[in-house]
């Protein structure tokens, strides 16, 4: 919307608004030509672009600012009244008479249509916008931006079934209704050739025979149980080579029973890619067909509960192969890189709250139920070779390995790959099921270099091992110190919950052991709760 205003301002003809008579007390701005004054007033108004519309009161603040400008001088009021694009928005939050006034004063300018149920007084449900849409129906041919957020879906399919010939931006977020009987939309009679920005959330819709194309942004977030064909999504991407942002979240996607040959879709403008809560076979189908060499934001969350007859190891072993160079580059470029490795998942750096607008580089993988061996292979192949290529002014890499009772440390291939990982700087084994004895034996093994040579911190619970075992492990590591990480911090968690099993197996640190720990150089042993805690 703000861009449309700016474009129209650039093409303004000299205004018919007469200049105010000049007086000696008139400020310099009063001498500006009408065309330049119009642009100054435009710049003084709040932004009402797509990002600003996330705030439910954006349109109200805009109109308040517009009316304040009218109060400055008579000439300013005349310029504001005579500039149609200043009035080219209608909102569910306005009184009917204000919306009618705005439609009249905006003449033939493209309209921003806004309705948000997320107001300061309403946070627990959606709102009905049927009366509002009926009021502005005569101006449908001027709808350019349609932003309906947290609205009730009942009755909307009828209102949005007719074409809107110049519509460029659709944001439609329905407040969840009856999931078992959702109203299904046929958006704008499938006439969507002018649309460039699409964000559809919490609604079921009939995919058009000729899908959206030439999109810059595409978001599908929950079709309320309505299944979407992965080939339809593929066709949208194939027809949108300029797309910059793609988000596919909480979808039921149908994949073909017979796979056709892979034809790569090259999306050189794609900067941000999110696939979350989707069937593994659907994610596999899409990522194998996409090349996005300039992608700097990558989020993937595999939903194992929705997957049948799919080997999740394939996601990390082969499906993401074309994205591996991109993810390696992101490790170097992320401002505060972090990697968390669990028995069945990988977490990269979480996105910033404003990641969609600031395009901060990050990757975030949540691959629950992917076998640990595939996870370790991926870290070894993708992250480990690149983590030390960061510049001197960047934050150091932090990689945390979480050990539980199901972590298969005894597996020969896993052990062979884990032991040399430079990406693991922190190990956490704080759950009662973790086998600390096995972990200490591994960390104390003899050889040319210690396991996890860049380990900086070890967190363990004080249960079912002996304090002297930890002491001997630390001494063994000190005999082969890593030159890059000379200091190791060991944090022994001694707090015991009331339901902690077998309290008699707690680790005891007697005074003699404590003295030996204090004598170690290059190691700091920390006991939250105090050294003398039971």
């Amino acid at each position: 919307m703000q861009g449309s205003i700016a474009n129209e301002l650039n093409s303004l003809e000299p205004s018919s608004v007469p200049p105010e008579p000049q007086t000696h007390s008139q400020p310099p701005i009063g001498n500006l030509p009408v065309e330049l004054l119009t642009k100054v007033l435009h710049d003084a108004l709040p932004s009402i672009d797509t990002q600003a519309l996330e705030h439910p009161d954006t349109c109200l603040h805009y109109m308040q600012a517009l009316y304040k400008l009218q109060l400055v001088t008579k000439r300013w009021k005349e310029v504001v009244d005579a500039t149609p694009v200043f009035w080219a928005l209608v909102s569910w939050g306005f009184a009917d008479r204000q919306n009618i006034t705005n439609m009249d004063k905006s003449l033939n300018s493209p309209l921003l249509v806004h309705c948000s149920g997320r107001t300061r007084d309403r946070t627990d449900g959606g709102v009905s916008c049927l009366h509002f849409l009926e009021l502005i129906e005569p101006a449908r041919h001027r709808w350019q931006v349609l932003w309906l957020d947290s609205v009730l879906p009942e009755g909307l399919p009828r209102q949005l079934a007719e074409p809107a010939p110049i519509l460029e931006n659709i944001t439609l977020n329905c407040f969840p209704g009856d999931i078992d009987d959702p109203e299904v939309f046929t958006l704008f009679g499938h006439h969507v050739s002018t649309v460039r920005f699409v964000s559809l959330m919490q609604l079921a819709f009939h995919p058009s025979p000729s899908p959206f194309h030439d999109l810059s942004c595409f978001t599908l977030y929950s079709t309320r149980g309505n299944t979407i064909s992965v080939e339809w999504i593929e066709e949208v991407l194939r027809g949108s080579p300029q797309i910059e942002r793609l988000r596919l979240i909480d979808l039921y996607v149908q994949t073909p029973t017979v796979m056709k040959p892979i034809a790569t879709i090259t999306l050189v403008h794609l900067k941000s890619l999110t696939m979350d809560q989707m069937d593994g076979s659907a994610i596999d189908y899409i990522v194998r067909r996409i090349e996005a060499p300039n992608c700097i934001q990558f989020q993937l969350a595999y939903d194992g509960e929705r997957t049948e007859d799919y080997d999740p190891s394939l996601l990390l072993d082969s499906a993401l192969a074309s994205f591996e160079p991109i993810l390696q580059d992101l490790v170097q470029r992320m401002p505060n890189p972090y990697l968390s490795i669990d028995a069945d998942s990988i977490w990269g750096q979480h996105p910033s709250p404003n990641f969609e607008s600031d395009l901060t580089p990050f990757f975030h993988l949540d691959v629950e139920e992917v076998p640990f061996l595939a996870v370790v292979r991926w870290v070894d192949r993708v992250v480990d070779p690149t983590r030390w290529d960061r510049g001197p002014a960047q934050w150091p890499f932090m990689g945390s390995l979480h050990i539980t009772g199901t972590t298969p440390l005894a597996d020969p291939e896993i052990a062979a790959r884990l032991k040399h990982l430079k990406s693991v700087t922190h190990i956490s084994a704080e759950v009662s099921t973790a086998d600390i004895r096995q972990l200490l034996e591994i960390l104390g093994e003899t050889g040319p270099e210690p396991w996890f040579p860049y380990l900086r911190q070890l967190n363990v619970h004080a249960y079912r091992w002996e304090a002297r075992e930890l002491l001997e492990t630390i001494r063994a590591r000190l005999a082969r110190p890593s030159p890059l990480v000379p200091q190791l911090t060991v944090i022994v968690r001694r707090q015991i919950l009331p339901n902690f099993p077998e309290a008699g197996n707690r680790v005891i640190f007697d005074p003699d052991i404590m003295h030996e720990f204090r004598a170690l150089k290059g190691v700091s042993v920390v006991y939250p709760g105090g050294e003398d805690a039971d």
Side-chain angles (χ1 to χ4, degrees), residues 241-258:
Q242 305 294 318
I243 195 167
E244 299 175 7
R245 301 175 191 271
L246 173 62
R247 300 177 69 206
L248 305 173
I249 303 172
D250 192 17
L251 302 180
Y252 288 88
V253 180
Q254 180 181 9
T255 54
T257 54
V258 178

Side-chain angles (χ1 to χ4, degrees), residues 253-266:
V253 180
Q254 180 181 9
T255 54
T257 54
V258 178
M259 289 295 179
K260 59 184 180 181
I262 294 177
T264 302
I265 308 170
T266 302

